Amino acid sequence: MKMIIKGGTIVDGTDREAKPADLLIEDGRIVASALVIEEEADAVVDATGCYVMPGFIDLHVHLRDPGQTHKEDLLTGAKAAARGGVTTICAMPNTNPAVDTVEVLQDIYQRAEQAPVHVLQVSAITKGQGGQELVDMAAMKEGGAVAFSEDGKSVMDVTLYEEAMRQAAQLNVPVFAHCEDKALVGKGVLNEGVASERFGVPGISNAVEDIITARDIFLARESGARLHLCHCSTEASVWLVKMAKSMGIPVTAEVCPHHFILTDEDITEENANYKMNPPLRTKRDVKTLIEGLRNGTMDCISTDHAPHHAEEKAGGFEKAPFGIVGLETSASLTYTALVDTGVLSIQQMVQKMSTNPAKVLGVDDCKGYVQIGKDADLVIFDPNVEYVVDVEEFASKGKNTPFAGRKVKGRVRATIVDGRLVYEDTARTVKPQPEEENLFS
Ligand code: DOR
Ligand code: ZN
Ligand code: ZN
């Protein structure tokens, strides 16, 4: 199977300038790159006016499979990824049952063979995510787990967590940390301050996150584990990552689009699509997160794609579950908020969404770059199309996003996985409504 991608501008995952080139793909790999490639091929994909970039790698996705497939399942989640230009997803283990045995892991991998994108599974750290007893970490690695995480919560028993980190270090598998002090968060719902006061609900302070972030960084230093900090939302988390890196501690960090775009002041009505964990923070936090992304302190942009059913989300701020979907909006939101505004270069966007996640997973020998010999996992992205986020277009079962109805710029035109076209945009001529406010104006 031969494919040619014609007329695009390549952003290759390095700092090199974006350059026009055609790509030749054969048997799932990039085999040639030249200004013009004229050759017989089984398929020709038109990338005129578009960036051709390494497919995005989302380190933080909830597929709800097994156990909560009314919210999402493996295939709908993978289709949502393809729509978002995401060619590899890491699925978090807080399913039902939790991904804590090789049997659950293998069932997922078996079914993932049908998925249009690569699905990598993260193992729980403790059995049933109960915080009491470690999973068989060596067996989970053997079974194909790419990381260990208790996402949804933190392992609060510090000695147990230190032991988990030691084992993870020995196995050379990263730990993905959700940082939240269980006692301190209490029944917190929204950021402590403007939002919690406006709606009269218990607040979540920055300290809830910062204390565990600091703890985990020092555990990483003791154990030698590679620590990846999930969904950093606070100013201090950026400073802590900067400190850790300057001390040579093996830490990486991700930020989600909602945390670098929205603040607690944007919550003006009781709409639980603004409820996620960690919560939307203050302008000051957002400013520091963006600066951290810009200066390289913060490595990755991931989504924490957390689909929930509309009825569950209708339960009001206190009852509704935490979380929002993100797979189908993250590229457009990142482009609109950070690249179109000149904060990040297009090269940096690609590094945060593909190259650096590939490095976190240790798969940068074959993914995260558009280069000869690398896997043909690619996204073709049109930076000039403006459109309004329409949740009815989503492949995800989850429609829970605060960005519904917002105008954005930049849209995925096509997604290629292992040299196969897995998604092509059919609605790319959608015109924005003139009266719609630009998201960032
Ligand atoms: O908002 C969130 N949703 N944060 C989490 O940590 C868990 C996630 C979920 O599973 O819904
Ligand atoms: Zn989490
Ligand atoms: Zn999560």
Side-chain angles (χ1 to χ4, degrees):
M1 167 83 184
K2 260 191 187 181
M3 177 189 276
I4 294 176
I5 300 173
K6 276 203 96 55
T9 298
I10 313 290
V11 186
D12 69 0
T14 71
D15 291 332
R16 272 194 286 274
E17 203 185 322
K19 278 210 181 100
D22 294 352
L23 293 179
L24 177 64
I25 290 159
E26 220 173 323
D27 301 325
R29 295 270 167 83
I30 302 167
V31 295
S33 166
L35 192 56
V36 181
I37 296 178
E38 297 286 0
E39 223 178 290
E40 284 294 301
D42 305 293
V44 177
V45 179
D46 177 23
T48 310
C50 295
Y51 288 122
V52 179
M53 324 197 266
F56 303 132
I57 299 175
D58 193 334
L59 296 177
H60 195 149
V61 170
H62 296 271
L63 292 178
R64 309 301 187 205
D65 194 346
Q68 290 193 299
T69 50
H70 66 289
K71 295 178 194 253
E72 192 77 291
D73 63 52
L74 212 151
L75 283 183
T76 56
K79 278 185 193 164
R83 276 195 88 245
V86 179
T87 53
T88 298
I89 49 181
C90 291
M92 285 297 188
N94 63 337
T95 49
N96 189 13
V99 185
D100 60 0
T101 64
V102 173
E103 286 68 38
V104 182
L105 191 57
Q106 279 173 350
D107 165 60
I108 292 166
Y109 275 130
Q110 210 159 43
R111 290 186 293 118
E113 283 170 22
Q114 308 304 316
V117 304
H118 301 292
V119 177
L120 300 176
Q121 183 61 50
V122 179
S123 167
I125 293 174
T126 68
K127 290 186 181 164
Q129 293 192 304
Q132 304 287 324
E133 197 183 338
L134 297 184
V135 302
D136 184 340
M137 294 176 72
M140 294 306 273
K141 183 199 170 163
E142 191 67 20
V146 297
F148 292 101
S149 181
E150 204 82 327
D151 188 46
K153 55 179 115 171
S154 298
V155 178
M156 289 313 302
D157 181 334
V158 69
T159 51
L160 191 70
Y161 200 36
E162 188 184 34
E163 172 57 22
M165 285 226 203
R166 282 192 198 288
Q167 289 194 33
Q170 213 150 48
L171 295 166
N172 192 26
V173 175
V175 171
F176 290 2
H178 167 119
C179 298
E180 176 184 13
D181 187 280
K182 193 173 170 15
L184 205 54
V185 72
K187 292 191 181 343
V189 171
L190 300 175
N191 194 39
E192 191 167 281
V194 174
S196 65
E197 281 159 25
R198 179 178 284 168
F199 297 98
V201 295
I204 302 175
S205 68
N206 283 28
V208 165
E209 180 172 337
D210 298 336
I211 286 169
I212 300 297
T213 302
R215 181 199 74 166
D216 287 8
I217 285 170
F218 292 117
L219 286 177
R221 181 169 72 158
E222 291 302 315
S223 63
R226 283 192 287 130
L227 177 70
H228 176 73
L229 297 166
C230 293
H231 46 47
C232 295
S233 75
T234 65
E235 177 190 26
S237 69
V238 181
W239 294 115
L240 287 164
V241 172
K242 195 174 161 67
M243 176 207 71
K245 286 183 169 179
S246 70
M247 290 174 75
I249 302 170
V251 172
T252 52
E254 67 184 33
V255 188
C256 306
H258 48 276
H259 288 132
F260 64 71
I261 292 172
L262 300 173
T263 73
D264 54 356
E265 291 174 42
D266 291 313
I267 315 172
T268 53
E269 49 173 17
E270 187 163 16
N271 175 353
N273 289 337
Y274 286 87
K275 178 182 176 183
M276 71 291 287
N277 189 14
L280 299 175
R281 302 290 193 180
T282 65
K283 280 194 177 127
R284 182 173 163 149
D285 294 298
V286 169
K287 201 169 158 228
T288 310
L289 290 169
I290 291 175
E291 175 54 19
L293 284 165
R294 197 197 61 76
N295 69 25
T297 303
M298 308 310 268
D299 307 274
C300 303
I301 293 172
S302 67
T303 62
D304 197 5
H305 178 80
H308 291 291
H309 196 272
E311 276 171 32
E312 298 161 316
K313 274 298 201 184
F317 274 141
E318 292 198 65
K319 284 217 183 88
F322 289 99
I324 65 168
V325 289
L327 280 168
E328 290 165 270
T329 50
S330 90
S332 298
L333 288 170
T334 301
Y335 188 83
T336 308
L338 301 183
V339 182
D340 201 43
T341 53
V343 173
L344 295 189
S345 64
I346 190 71
Q347 286 84 353
Q348 284 177 302
M349 170 173 159
V350 166
Q351 287 160 13
K352 309 273 177 212
M353 295 186 69
S354 181
T355 322
N356 294 344
K359 288 179 185 169
V360 170
L361 293 169
V363 298
D364 50 316
D365 54 334
C366 53
K367 298 193 190 296
Y369 297 93
V370 181
Q371 286 170 354
I372 291 168
K374 305 284 183 189
D375 293 355
D377 289 352
L378 300 163
V379 54
I380 298 174
F381 184 81
D382 189 335
N384 292 310
V385 173
E386 296 188 335
Y387 72 100
V388 174
V389 174
D390 177 2
V391 297
E392 296 311 318
E393 284 183 2
F394 285 2
S396 173
K397 290 182 190 174
K399 313 296 176 196
N400 48 309
T401 169
F403 297 109
R406 303 293 189 103
K407 187 172 135 187
V408 288
K409 188 172 175 193
R411 185 169 167 107
V412 173
R413 189 193 282 185
T415 306
I416 292 158
V417 174
D418 288 334
R420 284 175 298 112
L421 190 65
V422 295
Y423 168 71
E424 198 171 13
D425 186 14
T426 49
R428 50 182 283 267
T429 52
V430 174
K431 287 275 180 293
Q433 309 301 309
E435 69 272 17
E436 221 99 24
E437 280 274 291
N438 186 290
L439 177 50
F440 307 103
S441 55

